[in-house]
Amino acid sequence: MLPCLNTLRSAVRLVPRSAWSRGCVWCPCRNISIKPGGLKPKTVPPRYLGQPSPFTHPHLIKHGEVTPGLTQTEYELRRLRLASLIQAQADRLGPSASSASHVVVVLSHPTRYMTNDIPYPFHQNQDFLYLSGFLEPDSALVLYGRGRPDQAMLFVPRRDPSRELWDGPRSGKDGAAALTGIERIHSTEELGVVLKSLKASVVWYDSSQPSHPRLHQTHVHPVLEGGPMARTLRPLTHSLRALKSSAEVALMQEAGRITAQAFRKTMAMSPGDIDEAVLYAKFDFENRVHGANFLAYPPVVAGGNRANTLHYINNNQIIKDGEMVLLDGGCEYFGYVSDITRTWPVNGKFTAAQAELYEAVLEVQRSCLSLCSPGVSLDHIYSTMLALLGRQLRQLGVVKAGASDADVLKAARRYCPHHVGHYLGMDVHDTPELSRSQPLQPGMAITIEPGLYICEDDDQAPERFRGLGVRIEDDVVIRDKGGPLILSADAPKTIADVERACAQR
């Protein structure tokens, strides 16, 4: 999905991966290792909970896992890393802050309704999910401690047979404790009372846009009015989320594999003259039938000149024989997403002009992929992309041979008005608090997605290219050695591979 250019983000400093060690966490400003506490496994209740468990979904989730592929230990390590970051921040604020009582509050999302009593499918607040693994609405995670908030409490909806009759089972306190490994579990209605009892000097909480307005107003806002210092939490959680563990990368690899196969199947059913809605339905079906939970975002299925509308999601017009379709789509697989774009001719054969423009974008995309290594920033790759696109535009005759370098750069920005990529993970445009000037680190996931868009009414471009739009997007994990890991490598990309996939009718 396209990265915008006009959003200002604060530069968040990441904890270097080299400061982590297996089975322990290192405080970013002190040479102190932190061992995760001894988790005392509890038997998961032999009933349906508010999310998959080893009892109800043994094909998806193993004993000791909170969500598929992610263990109780991994979630505890995340909370301890956050506690270490807060301790480091407190130390910088001075002795009073480093010895003060710190409380972290992270709220779930509420259930949202499309009309009256018809709910939208529930989607959890990613920061809450990242730190707890708990998938129910109307919940909260609280971390607390003096100087270092490394003690956890989880607040969950109370079991209610009358509501569960309509909405489905709830985990309750026993189910939540057994599943997450967090020992202190309270009912959500106790949140305000417990927060007041902690007598926090500093509250780490994102109050500007509360993820759960009702819980904020009822339980958290009164505590903040009591006078503790409030500090934003999101930059810290995003700095942690940016660096993926091996288990997270495995989930993203599966999301990439599923979506790549969906592209193959969708290419194979796109003869000339086909409705965009049919390709949308096919792509959605192929993702879900091969294991995806759902699509990660409304896909762009843009035929012909509509590919030049960057966020076209109506997906309701006929793609004519001889036109190309640009499909930008991805799936979510147990909390982690893919985001891939491919462009192909619906009749299965590129025209000469289509192939010329496509090869120009593909060459730039390959060059940008080769830059995906530690120490290089997304902004640097973007600058390189513009220079390379400018060179291609000159070779294609879209920019005159004698144009100045400044004019060539201006043309590159005009024909590719978006950034080269964005961070990827639990969300499509993941960890937006991170600046794209930040040097990439091993474990970070990004997209690389150059494009060229030439509108049908562009009388400055050669006529053969008018009405063509091409974008090629891959998902990438940065690695120390061996080059970038391309999560979307199975999606056809060369002209030969694309035409071969289209021929598999």
Side-chain angles (χ1 to χ4, degrees):
M1 198 65 177
L2 284 176
C4 296
L5 285 175
N6 58 353
T7 308
L8 294 176
R9 301 295 181 191
S10 59
V12 177
R13 186 175 180 82
L14 296 184
V15 183
R17 177 62 68 99
S18 59
W20 299 8
S21 101
R22 195 174 184 84
C24 65
V25 188
W26 290 87
C27 178
C29 63
R30 296 179 178 181
N31 194 22
I32 302 173
S33 63
I34 306 159
K35 297 271 186 193
L39 289 169
K40 299 174 182 142
K42 296 182 180 178
T43 303
V44 174
R47 57 179 173 83
Y48 280 93
L49 305 181
Q51 66 191 74
S53 77
F55 176 75
T56 56
H57 294 73
H59 57 295
L60 294 179
I61 187 167
K62 301 172 184 173
H63 286 282
E65 291 181 344
V66 185
T67 54
L70 298 174
T71 64
Q72 291 181 356
T73 299
E74 175 138 353
Y75 282 103
E76 187 189 18
L77 284 169
R78 293 173 177 181
R79 295 189 291 270
L80 291 176
R81 287 183 182 123
L82 179 60
S84 293
L85 286 180
I86 289 173
Q87 182 180 28
Q89 295 264 345
D91 287 350
R92 283 194 283 271
L93 293 172
S96 60
S98 61
S99 62
S101 172
H102 291 259
V103 171
V104 176
V105 182
V106 189
L107 303 180
S108 75
H109 276 157
T111 301
R112 294 187 170 95
Y113 292 85
M114 61 178 72
T115 179
N116 194 21
D117 57 353
I118 306 300
Y120 285 106
F122 180 70
H123 197 261
Q124 189 58 279
N125 172 17
Q126 285 97 338
D127 287 345
F128 177 81
L129 178 59
Y130 180 79
L131 294 167
S132 69
F134 198 63
L135 289 170
E136 293 184 41
D138 307 327
S139 306
L141 176 71
V142 172
L143 308 178
Y144 63 99
R146 190 160 294 280
R148 183 169 174 272
D150 55 4
Q151 303 299 306
M153 287 187 285
L154 188 62
F155 295 79
V156 303
R158 189 185 299 276
R159 298 285 315 274
D160 182 343
S162 65
R163 287 312 314 162
E164 291 180 60
L165 173 67
W166 291 92
D167 302 331
R170 296 177 177 179
S171 297
K173 293 196 285 188
D174 62 332
L179 197 60
T180 66
I182 297 174
E183 294 190 359
R184 291 196 62 182
I185 310 288
H186 296 269
S187 296
T188 303
E189 55 260 36
E190 300 175 89
L191 176 60
V193 172
V194 173
L195 285 176
K196 287 177 182 176
S197 73
L198 293 174
K199 295 180 169 43
S201 302
V202 184
V203 175
W204 298 81
Y205 174 70
D206 297 307
S207 59
S208 59
Q209 292 182 312
S211 59
H212 197 305
R214 180 177 60 81
L215 291 184
H216 167 78
Q217 199 61 36
T218 304
H219 298 285
V220 185
H221 182 65
V223 174
L224 296 176
E225 283 188 322
M229 181 191 301
R231 299 188 67 85
T232 183
L233 181 67
R234 192 172 292 114
L236 300 183
T237 53
H238 283 198
S239 72
L240 293 174
R241 281 173 50 187
L243 300 177
K244 274 64 177 178
S245 69
S246 58
E248 290 177 289
V249 171
L251 291 167
M252 294 187 71
Q253 283 182 293
E254 185 61 12
R257 186 196 66 78
I258 290 169
T259 300
Q261 292 306 309
F263 268 101
R264 285 187 178 277
K265 297 288 188 180
T266 306
M267 287 177 182
M269 73 151 299
S270 52
D273 284 4
I274 187 167
D275 196 321
E276 291 165 346
V278 173
L279 295 183
Y280 180 170
K282 176 66 171 176
F283 183 75
D284 189 2
F285 169 80
E286 292 295 342
N287 274 283
R288 291 174 189 256
V289 80
H290 288 102
N293 303 116
F294 33 75
L295 294 184
Y297 54 91
V300 174
V301 186
N305 186 61
R306 294 178 295 282
N308 299 311
T309 301
L310 299 180
H311 282 173
Y312 172 84
I313 57 171
N314 289 339
N315 306 337
N316 62 2
Q317 297 196 49
I318 300 297
I319 311 168
K320 297 174 185 175
D321 191 349
E323 291 184 325
M324 292 194 297
V325 60
L326 184 157
L327 200 161
D328 181 337
C331 76
E332 180 164 326
Y333 181 76
F334 297 110
Y336 291 83
V337 306
S338 59
D339 178 6
I340 305 171
T341 305
R342 292 293 186 264
T343 310
W344 71 91
V346 291
N347 65 10
K349 290 291 181 183
F350 286 87
T351 66
Q354 290 169 352
E356 202 176 350
L357 193 67
Y358 188 93
E359 285 288 0
V361 175
L362 181 57
E363 185 177 327
V364 172
Q365 206 247 5
R366 284 170 164 164
S367 296
C368 291
L369 286 173
S370 70
L371 295 174
C372 295
S373 57
V376 178
S377 70
L378 269 170
D379 279 347
H380 174 76
I381 301 173
Y382 170 61
S383 298
T384 303
M385 178 196 77
L386 289 177
L388 294 172
L389 286 176
R391 186 184 306 166
Q392 293 291 342
L393 289 169
R394 185 177 264 150
Q395 292 174 1
L396 292 168
V398 178
V399 175
K400 293 178 180 177
S404 68
D405 290 345
D407 285 341
V408 171
L409 188 61
K410 185 177 178 182
R413 287 198 176 101
R414 175 187 171 191
Y415 289 107
C416 185
H418 57 78
H419 206 283
V420 70
H422 53 81
Y423 301 110
L424 189 70
M426 300 181 80
D427 205 353
V428 179
H429 290 179
D430 203 44
T431 58
E433 293 290 331
L434 262 66
S435 168
R436 281 182 282 208
S437 64
Q438 160 99 29
L440 297 173
Q441 295 186 32
M444 295 178 77
I446 60 172
T447 65
I448 295 295
E449 48 183 305
L452 285 174
Y453 313 93
I454 303 175
C455 293
E456 62 187 3
D457 59 357
D458 185 351
D459 57 8
Q460 296 179 30
E463 190 172 353
R464 68 185 187 280
F465 296 132
R466 295 176 195 172
L468 302 183
V470 174
R471 181 165 66 254
I472 304 171
E473 176 183 19
D474 281 311
D475 301 343
V476 178
V477 174
I478 306 302
R479 296 191 290 191
D480 261 325
K481 298 176 182 177
L485 173 63
I486 312 298
L487 303 175
S488 46
D490 289 344
K493 188 163 70 170
T494 66
I495 284 181
D497 284 346
V498 168
E499 290 187 343
R500 194 175 300 115
C502 290
Q504 302 297 311
R505 306 263 185 233

